[in-house]
Amino acid sequence: FLNRSLSSFFKSTNGSSTSYPSTIIKMTSHAETKIDCSKVYVKQSSFSNEETGMFDGAYAAVDIKEGELVEKGLMRRLPEGFDGNTCPYIFTWSTERPNKTWGMGSGCAPYYNTCKEGTANTKMVRFFDEDRFEIYANCDIKKDEELLHTYISLKWRTCFSELNDIVHADDSEHKAD
């Protein structure tokens, strides 16, 4: 019955029973959830082009005020011996250097692109001992604005060396390094 009802719903909203409805169904967040990215959506990044390659970015689904929680989530630690210096899609998950602890983030967090320190519109607060994070707005963020935070490992991770050069291309301090 449920499958037939859903099939009828999908067919009645967009004429096809093989795709999703054309209307957007608003999702709600449970008060006890450990993961909430309801203010964020993912689409092709505004930095993506033929030269850089095509990649996704995180965007504000609603207007977000400075200091407001944008997203919260969990981090899953990767097995000991994993080398995060070769994989840009995972997170540095400790303050030790050289870093040996890497994590895989939940929600939309893996899609936030980076920028120079002091220019990001969000900041990730890491709770290493609890394997969770919270992302806050550094300034007022308009709906549909791309969300950026500065990767804590941007300057030293091997997999970010080219990205670091691009981000700091006009930075005379970087050129002197």
Side-chain angles (χ1 to χ4, degrees):
F1 171 75
L2 181 59
N3 286 339
R4 274 186 271 148
S5 296
L6 287 174
S7 178
S8 297
F9 171 75
F10 289 141
K11 192 171 224 164
S12 68
T13 57
N14 68 4
S16 168
S17 62
T18 58
S19 63
Y20 295 104
S22 57
T23 56
I24 296 175
I25 300 170
K26 174 97 171 111
M27 296 185 69
T28 59
S29 182
H30 191 277
E32 294 181 49
T33 189
K34 293 181 177 185
I35 300 170
D36 184 356
C37 56
S38 59
K39 297 177 188 173
V40 182
Y41 68 96
V42 174
K43 69 174 187 176
Q44 185 174 327
S45 174
S46 63
F47 300 104
S48 175
N49 58 50
E50 287 183 25
E51 186 179 336
T52 62
M54 301 313 217
F55 55 92
D56 292 325
Y59 288 81
V62 296
D63 288 343
I64 303 169
K65 295 286 185 198
E66 180 177 355
E68 190 175 329
L69 180 67
V70 176
E71 177 173 355
K72 67 180 181 177
L74 300 175
M75 195 64 60
R76 291 294 179 230
R77 291 176 190 238
L78 295 172
E80 192 174 321
F82 184 89
D83 184 6
N85 286 301
T86 63
C87 181
Y89 305 110
I90 53 114
F91 290 82
T92 303
W93 202 245
S94 77
T95 56
E96 73 177 333
R97 302 293 175 264
N99 185 67
K100 296 177 189 150
T101 308
W102 307 97
M104 187 171 59
S106 66
C108 296
Y111 297 95
Y112 288 58
N113 289 309
T114 196
C115 58
K116 269 188 210 183
E117 281 187 39
T119 64
N121 58 7
T122 70
K123 176 176 179 49
M124 178 182 274
V125 178
R126 294 161 176 85
F127 300 91
F128 295 122
D129 58 333
E130 300 174 35
D131 288 335
R132 67 182 186 89
F133 63 87
E134 295 175 351
I135 299 174
Y136 290 91
N138 282 337
C139 57
D140 288 350
I141 300 170
K142 291 286 185 199
K143 179 182 178 186
D144 298 321
E145 184 177 337
E146 189 160 5
L147 302 173
L148 304 171
H149 78 94
T150 303
Y151 301 165
I152 62 171
S153 56
L154 177 62
K155 291 186 177 180
W156 56 264
R157 262 172 80 183
T158 311
C159 61
F160 291 149
S161 64
E162 186 177 334
L163 179 60
N164 186 43
D165 290 344
I166 293 167
V167 167
H168 293 96
D170 62 344
D171 188 350
S172 60
E173 178 184 311
H174 174 70
K175 290 177 184 173
D177 284 345

